């Protein structure tokens, strides 16, 4: 049997604090066929964040230059900062048969969906707004005011969940929810559009 495979573009979105980052890391750890698409952002690095690993950190001017050059597959403003997915992180990799994971907001995901690229979209849903608040408070990386902004944003993001192919409620320990995310990925790898199988005589 000869099998040629095209890479998968897996887009995950969900409110800040819903656990996307943890789930993304678990998938990347457990399934080496996935590469994380490192986004560009004008946000300042948080403690422990490394340029080129977590984000490509850049100033407003460099970001806008990339927008003009058409370097982004999508870009959006989130919480007063700009974020964008670089085409170079995604397109050639998919052609090479690698799977690419995007952790982007709902505006960016809508742009990728509209681009016509085949993708798999998963919305990570928090169990409740109360739980989301608790997670943001425990994370301790945002001020009180930022937490309130993120919570009101969460409500409008949740309203977009219906546009995604899958909704994953993150109401279990991350390792358990990650099993469902992997199940989605494993099934999607076998879709006929990504997989050409020729049977030998
Ligand atoms: P954070 O600043 O907490 O890392 O991310 C804030 C939000 O920006 C998250 O919802 C994250 O998914 C989103 N985000 C990260 N990278 C991108 C990107 O390249 N494009 C878009 N549209 N959103 C992004």
């Amino acid at each position: 049997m000869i099998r040629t495979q095209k890479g998968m573009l897996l887009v995950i979105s969900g409110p800040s604090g819903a656990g996307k980052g943890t789930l993304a890391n678990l998938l990347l750890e457990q399934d080496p066929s996935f590469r994380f698409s490192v986004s560009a952002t004008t946000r300042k690095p948080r403690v422990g964040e490394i340029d080129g690993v977590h984000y490509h950190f850049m100033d407003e001017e460099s970001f806008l230059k990339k927008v003009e050059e058409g370097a982004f597959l999508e870009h959006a403003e989130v919480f007063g900062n700009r974020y964008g997915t670089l085409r170079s992180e995604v397109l050639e990799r998919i052609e090479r048969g690698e799977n690419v994971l995007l952790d982007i907001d709902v505006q960016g995901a809508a742009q990728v969906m509209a681009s016509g690229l085949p993708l798999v979209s998963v919305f990570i849903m928090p169990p409740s707004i109360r739980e989301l608040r608790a997670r943001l408070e425990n994370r301790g990386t945002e001020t009180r005011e930022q937490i309130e902004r993120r919570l009101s944003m969460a409500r409008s993001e949740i309203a977009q969940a219906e546009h995604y192919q899958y909704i994953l409620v993150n109401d279990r320990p991350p390792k358990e929810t990650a099993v469902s995310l992997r199940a989605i990925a494993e099934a999607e790898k076998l879709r006929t559009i990504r997989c050409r199988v020729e049977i030998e005589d």
Side-chain angles (χ1 to χ4, degrees), residues 158-172:
I158 287 168
Q160 302 301 315
E162 63 183 272
H163 301 301
Y164 288 70
Q165 292 161 332
Y166 296 91
I167 297 179
L168 194 52
V169 183
N170 197 7
D171 58 356
R172 290 163 289 164

Side-chain angles (χ1 to χ4, degrees), residues 20 39 43 46 55 74 76 83-85 103-105 108 150:
K20 266 177 311 175
S39 295
R43 167 167 82 59
R46 297 190 185 120
Y55 282 105
E74 62 73 32
Y83 294 84
T85 303
D103 168 354
I104 61 176
D105 89 312
R150 288 189 178 223

Side-chain angles (χ1 to χ4, degrees), residues 18-182:
K20 266 177 311 175
T22 309
L23 289 172
N25 286 336
L26 285 168
L27 180 68
L28 293 164
E29 254 171 57
Q30 294 170 355
D31 185 341
S33 74
F34 274 95
R35 296 274 171 281
F36 183 63
S37 161
V38 180
S39 295
T41 184
T42 59
R43 167 167 82 59
K44 296 274 169 291
R46 297 190 185 120
V47 177
E49 282 183 333
I50 302 163
D51 187 34
V53 174
H54 299 95
Y55 282 105
H56 298 290
F57 294 101
M58 56 182 70
D59 59 21
E60 183 90 4
E61 198 188 327
S62 315
F63 193 99
L64 293 177
K65 191 159 169 268
K66 291 216 175 286
V67 172
E68 261 174 44
E69 289 166 1
F72 291 119
L73 186 60
E74 62 73 32
H75 61 94
E77 195 175 317
V78 188
F79 309 121
N81 296 304
R82 295 181 196 275
Y83 294 84
T85 303
L86 293 159
R87 289 179 190 278
S88 56
E89 292 276 334
V90 177
L91 302 178
E92 296 115 60
R93 288 181 176 175
I94 287 176
E95 283 306 317
R96 280 204 301 267
E98 290 176 16
N99 298 318
V100 179
L101 175 64
L102 301 188
D103 168 354
I104 61 176
D105 89 312
V106 291
Q107 308 167 71
Q111 292 172 42
V112 184
M113 287 175 200
S115 77
L117 274 178
L119 75 146
V120 180
S121 57
V122 182
F123 190 89
I124 311 294
M125 185 75 88
S128 66
I129 300 286
R130 196 187 323 131
E131 177 66 30
L132 196 60
R133 176 187 292 279
R135 288 186 194 166
L136 286 172
E137 285 173 356
N138 288 339
R139 191 159 87 176
T141 51
E142 281 86 25
T143 63
R144 186 140 293 281
E145 196 198 333
Q146 283 169 331
I147 290 178
E148 292 311 323
R149 255 172 90 193
R150 288 189 178 223
L151 287 174
S152 71
M153 186 72 183
R155 291 179 195 274
S156 54
E157 286 170 324
I158 287 168
Q160 302 301 315
E162 63 183 272
H163 301 301
Y164 288 70
Q165 292 161 332
Y166 296 91
I167 297 179
L168 194 52
V169 183
N170 197 7
D171 58 356
R172 290 163 289 164
K175 280 206 166 127
E176 285 177 32
T177 312
V179 172
S180 301
L181 185 58
R182 280 198 66 192

